[in-house]
Amino acid sequence: MASLKQVSLILFPLLLLISSSFKLSNAAGIVIYWGQNGNEGSLADACNTNNYQYVNIAFLSTFGNGQTPELNLAGHSRDGLNADIKGCQGKGIKVLLSLGGGAGSYSLNSADDATNLANYLWNNFLGGTSDSRPFGDAVLDGIDFDIEAGGAQHYDELARALNGFSSQKKVYLGAAPQCPIPDAHLDAAINTGLFDYVWVQFYNNPQCQYASGNTNNLINSWNQWTSSQAKQVFLGLPASEAAAPSGGFIPTDVLISQVLPTIKTSPKYGGVMLWNRFNDIQTGYSDAIKASV
């Protein structure tokens, strides 16, 4: 029979391995939105920077109310996206499809509408099968809800329906609410507790964003969000001043010295979301902050 000391020597490295694996799987990261500017380069280019741990392909901007769902990738060709998605995933990057956006034609008018959309997403972008998959046999990791128009109804039912497919293959759920609580479109959905990632838009909302050297409104709002049903909360920011006409841009030195040290104390801290890839290229924002996130 092994002595207590021998058992300890065996178990201690195992516990260290388990602990380090847990930390890696829960490591903070940078989220980027890609797909809304034809001058931002390819999806592969974005992933090859090694700056991002999550990429949201934006947007499925038409859906619901009897409409045929439509992608709007702002002039990007779909050719090559199958290989690009797989390449990103091969680097350990999670790739999600983002629903909605600031301009589009979308709404859910009934529980059946939500179920039908969930089935469409599963069969065309996730683990199901269809003859009309826009990205071929590439299987996305999940769905992001960037709902900024068209009412608030039935997105909780959409989240539950998508989560139901996780018994076959995990469907990660992300959401991009505005920082004022409750969010006008996603409150009921987030309150399901099913969202793995909530990347809150702390910009274009003066009451809860950084302004003129003052972090108080931002931090107060962050603390509210970390008390929500979100599993992880990300600080959503514009990657340039031009990306947020109504404000909220935080200079990288201010973010690193005044904001991140405070918000990283939350056990729900997930990282930083940036809008968007094109603006990040212009400013080098993710390059400047990636070591501090």
Side-chain angles (χ1 to χ4, degrees):
M1 185 174 177
S3 70
L4 184 61
K5 184 175 181 181
Q6 287 173 314
V7 171
S8 297
L9 287 171
I10 294 168
L11 285 178
F12 185 65
L14 183 62
L15 289 171
L16 278 178
L17 182 63
I18 292 169
S19 173
S20 63
S21 298
F22 178 80
K23 286 176 182 174
L24 283 171
S25 65
N26 289 273
I30 298 176
V31 188
I32 198 74
Y33 278 84
W34 176 91
Q36 285 301 291
N37 192 302
N39 296 316
E40 66 193 339
S42 70
L43 181 61
D45 293 338
C47 292
N48 287 339
T49 64
N50 296 316
N51 286 5
Y52 315 119
Q53 284 67 48
Y54 309 86
V55 177
N56 291 327
I57 296 178
F59 290 106
L60 189 78
S61 59
T62 299
F63 60 80
N65 196 22
Q67 301 177 98
T68 300
E70 290 182 17
L71 278 170
N72 173 359
L73 298 180
H76 282 288
S77 170
R78 295 181 196 175
D79 295 340
L81 276 176
N82 176 284
D84 286 5
I85 290 164
K86 292 175 181 177
C88 295
Q89 293 170 328
K91 290 174 169 286
I93 298 167
K94 287 187 170 59
V95 183
L96 287 76
L97 174 66
S98 187
L99 309 181
S105 173
Y106 57 86
S107 63
L108 294 176
N109 291 346
S110 66
D112 284 347
D113 219 2
T115 301
N116 290 339
L117 180 59
N119 290 335
Y120 171 83
L121 293 170
W122 172 255
N123 289 324
N124 286 277
F125 295 98
L126 300 168
T129 56
S130 166
D131 293 332
S132 57
R133 292 176 66 91
F135 306 143
D137 64 355
V139 177
L140 298 183
D141 295 289
I143 301 295
D144 171 53
F145 291 42
D146 183 14
I147 307 303
E148 303 184 30
Q153 298 301 308
H154 308 296
Y155 287 103
D156 53 340
E157 289 157 308
L158 177 61
R160 289 189 183 96
L162 288 168
N163 184 63
F165 288 114
S166 285
S167 60
Q168 300 175 62
K169 183 185 184 299
K170 170 65 178 173
V171 177
Y172 289 92
L173 296 179
Q178 308 294 310
C179 52
I181 290 182
D183 183 78
H185 299 95
L186 290 169
D187 185 55
I190 292 168
N191 283 336
T192 63
L194 296 175
F195 283 81
D196 302 282
Y197 318 117
V198 175
W199 16 75
V200 183
Q201 298 184 48
F202 291 97
Y203 53 94
N204 291 332
N205 289 285
Q207 67 268 48
C208 46
Q209 68 191 23
Y210 172 85
S212 306
N214 190 327
T215 63
N216 291 339
N217 290 346
L218 174 72
I219 299 300
N220 289 340
S221 181
W222 170 267
N223 290 335
Q224 286 184 284
W225 278 104
T226 55
S227 300
S228 73
Q229 292 296 314
K231 295 175 185 176
Q232 282 188 297
V233 181
F234 294 69
L235 183 74
L237 297 174
S240 72
E241 291 189 69
S246 298
F249 177 77
I250 306 179
T252 56
D253 59 329
V254 175
L255 179 70
I256 292 167
S257 65
Q258 297 181 37
V259 178
L260 289 179
T262 299
I263 68 173
K264 287 174 73 172
T265 60
S266 168
K268 286 192 176 183
Y269 171 78
V272 173
M273 175 272 277
L274 294 177
W275 176 265
N276 56 12
R277 171 66 179 153
F278 174 76
N279 288 283
D280 192 27
I281 292 171
Q282 305 307 303
T283 62
Y285 202 94
S286 63
D287 287 329
I289 69 168
K290 64 183 179 181
S292 302
V293 171

